[in-house]
Amino acid sequence: MLGLEYLLEEWEKDDNVEFCILKAHEEAFSAGGDLRALYTHHNPPRLGKEACYRMYWIDYHVATYKKPIIVLWSGLVMGLGVGLSVACMFRVATEKAVMLLMHA
């Protein structure tokens, strides 16, 4: 995720960039890898706190971004993908999009 944070900051400053498009790498938009990392790391309390801070920070950055962000949903959307994409200005879902929402 660090790469996306860096890119968003760079694109926000670049006058040649008018808008951003985010799409899934393959069949899913964040297929739970972020959640798996929270539970399987050797030092969960430290990783959990840092990871949660970064996740919420990037959600906030996307929600307050100075340029339009368009997210493309095709396939599974869950975990950080949901939090990140609902803050985007525009969301486009294909007929293959499936959003999984879980609550405790």
Side-chain angles (χ1 to χ4, degrees), residues 1 4-6 8 53-63 80 84 87:
M1 192 51 127
L4 181 59
E5 295 167 13
Y6 172 78
L8 286 172
Y53 173 82
R54 286 179 47 204
M55 284 185 231
Y56 284 110
W57 181 88
I58 198 165
D59 289 348
Y60 175 78
H61 191 175
V62 167
L80 183 57
L84 180 67

Side-chain angles (χ1 to χ4, degrees), residues 17-21 62 65-70 88-90:
V17 175
E18 296 180 26
F19 60 90
C20 302
I21 297 177
V62 167
Y65 206 66
K66 295 176 183 157
K67 298 177 182 182
I69 299 179
I70 304 160
C88 293
M89 188 174 291
F90 300 101

